[in-house]
Amino acid sequence: MRPALIPPALIPSVLFALVLAACQPSPPAAPETPAVATGASTTAEADAHFLDLAQRWLDKSLELSPIAATQVGDHRFDSHIDDLSQGGRNRALEFNRKMLAELDAIEIPSLSRENQVDARILRNKLRYDIWTSETLQSWAWDPQVYSQLAGSALYGLMARDFAPMPERLRSATARMQQIPTLFAQMRQNLDSARVPKIHAETVSRQNAGVLSLVDELILPNAGLLQGQERRQLDAAVAVLREAVDEHQKWLDETLVPDARGDFRIGETLYDEKLAFALDSPLSRQEIRSRVEADIRRTREEMYEIARSVLRDRDDAPAKMPDRPSPEQQQAVIEAALELAYADRPAREEVVELATRSTEEATAFVREKDLVTVPDEPVKIILMPEFQRGVAVAYCDPPGPLDKGLETFYAVSPIPDDWNDDQVDSFLREYNTRSIHELSIHEAMPGHFLQLAHANKHPSILRAVLYSGPFVEGWAMYAEKVMADAGYMDNDPLMQLINRKWNLRAMANALLDQAIHVDDMSREEAMKLMTVTAFQQESEAAGKWVRAQLTSAQLPTYYVGYSEHLDLRAEIEQRESKNFDLKSYHDQVLSYGSPPVRFVRQLMLDEPIR
């Protein structure tokens, strides 16, 4: 679930952040519940009112955002798509304002502590959505809002067996009939003077991708529909193909040539968006100071590990002093990393290695008793063909409302049409130890294990509005836990790769703000990634593009990781000799996936704020 590696259409949190509008006409709204007055009665009464508000928000927001509803496992609206017309956006905005006003009328301290957390999470979500619609206005300048919804509309229906295939095909038919309207809304809403060129070009390249979903996921199953239903599906496919062609012409001949917006959102918008996206007390300046210090410290650790690896080798760099120059430090670390890069699977062995490394990591977690391991095993699957070539693996959990479905650890074979140079570059970055690291992050004890624990928490609201920094930070923290526990027999090259992956997250956090606030150039960004963080050229080039297309998401890994480390250090200090690592991990994971600051306040019985 590491978004750096997952196509955007697969990330429910990204989808939720992009959803701004309503769908088809809805039934009459439920009667309003009176707000709780100041000095209101009992905690039980306040909780009852809040839970009613939260349920009404959840029901209506998913009705207004049918594609997101499918993603999170609410299938009442599978035959609809989002309405991004001005009327649809206004309906969503009015609903969010109404819900925020009602929530603000509740005295949050009068709620139970768990509901105080959920109320503050919901308040941040409502304020974020209103700000996105009114201030950021991504619907007016970011064509990805529309292209990601179009792809997710079909992928969310077809990727999982949450219902019989004929039922899902009927929903897909209905959505294919409506996607041309989404394209028309995109053409109506976008102001080419505000659209960045990189956004227009990216969507132009991706536009035909919706047809790959049709060809690879829908049509191979179309024979399950007969008669009129099959004819409707075929007609919807034909109309969609024509609409995609028409849209492509507009993208290539109108949007791309006229796009002249700035992809950098600037200091004011960036700081406001960062505060909403992270829901963390850490400011942009504090994140930068921490990152710069951690980069220096991590490179110093890598240098010491590299020296130990190279010390008795004939091909070691000539100079490896105790106090190296920057050039000496760089050369020694690079030389040791080359040893790790040389140990890589054959192109046909990637899937087998990912499978084996997950089994080994699971056995290690059990042996060391690091955290309670869920009874259900992670299911390793072959990555769908249309997703291959972007990542070697990713965690694909079901929506939080889809109960009883399996979590997939999807692993990709290297595409058959890749040449030797492409394979070599890919496997240098995703060498044997990196794939072990990836299996830790995505499966055990990373995303799969964390989500299995989180699913036991009773709050549906908290599951739907999970914290990206908590989730991604935990997966990074899990990598460190395994390294500290001696995974792979204290292999120093594994320790080196672990720190290289940490550097990637640090570079992500620095890169994001440096590009959008400090006007970092491509040359400066590439140097940060390839020299400071030791990434391969192709990996860094892709990240440069991604950093232009997004903002305030790349820091989630590092910020969550830092908060998890801070929390553990504080609890360790407080409990001293009584600290038990497994008990600590189980308790942290028992709260679901809220922002880490709330976990801290719950654990330490501090005021929720």
Side-chain angles (χ1 to χ4, degrees):
M1 220 166 87
R2 188 188 299 237
L5 301 179
I6 310 177
L10 296 179
I11 310 167
S13 59
V14 171
L15 186 60
F16 248 112
L18 291 176
V19 169
L20 306 175
C23 72
Q24 312 306 317
S26 58
E32 291 190 17
T33 302
V36 174
T38 302
S41 46
T42 65
T43 295
E45 291 172 336
D47 280 349
H49 176 60
F50 170 72
L51 292 174
D52 173 73
L53 183 155
Q55 187 62 54
R56 286 185 286 116
W57 172 82
L58 184 62
D59 288 342
K60 187 63 175 179
S61 64
L62 293 179
E63 178 188 335
L64 293 174
S65 305
I67 296 171
T70 301
Q71 292 284 83
V72 303
D74 184 340
H75 299 291
R76 293 174 295 165
F77 315 107
D78 283 353
S79 295
H80 301 288
I81 68 171
D82 301 42
D83 175 8
L84 297 191
S85 68
Q86 182 175 344
R89 298 196 311 274
N90 287 343
R91 285 190 292 274
L93 182 59
E94 181 181 354
F95 170 69
N96 286 330
R97 285 172 174 164
K98 176 180 177 295
M99 287 288 98
L100 181 59
E102 188 172 337
L103 180 60
D104 283 344
I106 296 177
E107 293 182 357
I108 291 181
S110 70
L111 301 172
S112 66
R113 289 174 60 77
E114 289 287 345
N115 282 332
Q116 287 181 48
V117 170
D118 284 5
R120 294 191 182 280
I121 292 172
L122 178 56
R123 185 173 185 272
N124 184 74
K125 168 64 177 172
L126 289 167
R127 294 179 65 238
Y128 193 6
D129 281 353
I130 293 169
W131 177 87
T132 300
S133 181
E134 292 187 316
T135 304
L136 186 64
Q137 296 184 344
S138 48
W139 52 267
W141 59 264
D142 188 356
Q144 296 176 106
V145 170
Y146 305 85
S147 63
Q148 289 179 358
L149 283 175
S152 297
L154 300 182
Y155 182 82
L157 292 173
M158 305 306 296
R160 287 188 176 278
D161 296 328
F162 61 82
M165 179 60 75
E167 180 181 331
R168 290 185 283 142
L169 287 171
R170 286 189 284 272
S171 297
T173 298
R175 284 189 169 177
M176 286 189 290
Q177 292 169 341
Q178 298 167 67
I179 289 175
T181 299
L182 181 64
F183 290 158
Q185 291 169 353
M186 173 180 174
R187 296 192 290 269
Q188 176 68 31
N189 293 343
L190 290 180
D191 178 358
S192 58
R194 298 174 64 186
V195 176
K197 180 74 73 173
I198 183 68
H199 291 65
E201 292 174 341
T202 298
V203 169
S204 176
R205 288 192 299 270
Q206 295 175 341
N207 180 54
V210 69
L211 295 180
S212 72
L213 296 173
V214 173
D215 293 334
E216 296 172 20
L217 297 182
I218 295 176
L219 290 181
N221 297 294
L224 295 173
L225 296 183
Q226 302 295 325
Q228 180 65 16
E229 289 183 334
R230 175 58 193 269
R231 288 191 292 272
Q232 289 175 340
L233 185 148
D234 290 340
V237 169
V239 169
L240 181 58
R241 290 191 192 280
E242 183 177 344
V244 169
D245 289 343
E246 177 188 0
H247 197 54
Q248 188 70 54
K249 183 177 181 180
W250 176 80
L251 290 169
D252 294 339
E253 297 180 4
T254 301
L255 186 64
V256 172
D258 293 345
R260 53 188 184 277
D262 189 351
F263 66 83
R264 305 178 197 269
I265 66 173
E267 180 176 354
T268 299
L269 288 178
Y270 183 86
D271 285 347
E272 291 174 352
K273 185 176 182 180
L274 190 71
F276 285 125
L278 299 181
D279 201 1
S280 164
L282 291 177
S283 68
R284 169 171 54 89
Q285 294 81 2
E286 290 170 322
I287 293 169
R288 185 184 187 98
S289 297
R290 282 189 171 217
V291 167
E292 290 173 344
D294 278 349
I295 285 176
R296 288 192 295 271
R297 177 187 54 76
T298 302
R299 285 177 58 94
E300 289 169 359
E301 290 178 1
M302 293 177 75
Y303 178 74
E304 293 304 322
I305 295 169
R307 279 209 306 172
S308 70
V309 169
L310 297 169
R311 186 167 287 118
D312 298 325
R313 292 181 62 91
D314 295 336
D315 56 351
K319 295 183 178 180
M320 297 190 295
D322 291 341
R323 298 181 178 275
S325 67
E327 294 76 17
Q328 290 169 332
Q329 184 189 69
Q330 188 75 18
V332 170
I333 296 173
E334 287 180 348
L337 283 173
E338 285 297 329
L339 301 179
Y341 298 157
D343 182 5
R344 49 191 172 184
R347 62 183 298 163
E348 68 275 7
E349 295 175 349
V350 170
V351 174
E352 190 276 331
L353 176 58
T355 302
R356 188 175 72 248
S357 62
T358 300
E359 295 169 351
E360 292 175 2
T362 301
F364 184 86
V365 171
R366 291 185 187 276
E367 176 192 349
K368 298 295 183 178
D369 208 21
L370 299 175
V371 61
T372 297
V373 177
D375 293 331
E376 63 273 21
V378 60
K379 184 173 182 179
I380 300 174
I381 66 168
L382 207 61
M383 189 181 297
E385 187 171 352
F386 74 95
Q387 301 290 3
R388 297 176 189 174
V390 178
V392 69
Y394 59 78
C395 182
D396 184 11
L401 302 182
D402 266 328
K403 300 301 182 183
L405 297 184
E406 297 170 308
T407 294
F408 300 145
Y409 177 25
V411 182
S412 173
I414 294 177
D416 292 336
D417 59 354
W418 275 20
N419 60 39
D420 290 343
D421 289 340
Q422 289 174 298
V423 173
D424 181 72
S425 176
F426 185 80
L427 289 180
R428 282 173 64 82
E429 189 71 18
Y430 297 103
N431 53 77
T432 296
R433 290 174 177 83
S434 286
I435 292 176
H436 275 272
E437 192 80 8
L438 194 60
S439 294
I440 292 170
H441 183 106
E442 302 294 347
M444 183 64 67
H447 287 315
F448 166 72
L449 180 139
Q450 185 265 316
L451 291 169
H453 279 263
N455 286 341
K456 297 176 183 177
H457 193 277
S459 171
I460 295 176
L461 180 77
R462 194 177 301 183
V464 170
L465 299 183
Y466 67 83
S467 164
F470 180 99
V471 172
E472 292 298 345
W474 170 267
M476 275 192 68
Y477 169 77
E479 297 171 40
K480 177 174 172 54
V481 168
M482 294 288 277
D484 290 346
Y487 186 63
M488 292 186 71
D489 297 325
N490 291 311
D491 177 1
L493 288 180
M494 186 69 189
Q495 299 280 343
L496 198 65
I497 289 296
N498 168 261
R499 284 157 178 79
K500 175 187 167 174
W501 281 73
N502 285 348
L503 277 182
R504 176 190 287 199
M506 296 169 195
N508 283 349
L510 194 58
L511 188 73
D512 194 61
Q513 62 173 263
I515 287 174
H516 287 283
V517 177
D518 303 322
D519 295 333
M520 174 181 269
S521 67
R522 184 183 191 279
E523 180 181 3
E524 292 168 332
M526 292 297 288
K527 182 178 179 181
L528 170 65
M529 290 183 283
T530 61
V531 178
T532 304
F534 304 101
Q535 295 177 34
Q536 296 298 302
E537 185 84 14
S538 59
E539 183 78 18
K543 187 63 62 63
W544 163 251
V545 171
R546 181 182 169 200
Q548 296 174 81
L549 293 171
T550 65
S551 55
Q553 194 279 324
L554 284 173
T556 58
Y557 313 96
Y558 174 80
V559 169
Y561 175 61
S562 297
E563 291 182 321
H564 275 292
L565 290 180
D566 289 348
L567 175 59
R568 175 173 159 182
E570 183 172 2
I571 299 300
E572 273 193 283
Q573 183 177 15
R574 284 176 178 245
E575 297 189 2
S576 187
K577 294 180 180 180
N578 295 322
F579 179 80
D580 179 78
L581 187 61
K582 180 181 181 181
S583 297
Y584 168 78
H585 288 156
D586 286 351
Q587 185 176 0
V588 168
L589 296 179
S590 71
Y591 299 110
S593 307
V596 179
R597 65 189 176 96
F598 293 135
V599 175
R600 179 187 178 279
Q601 291 160 13
L602 289 168
M603 291 182 72
L604 299 178
D605 200 26
E606 293 183 352
I608 305 299
R609 55 183 183 272

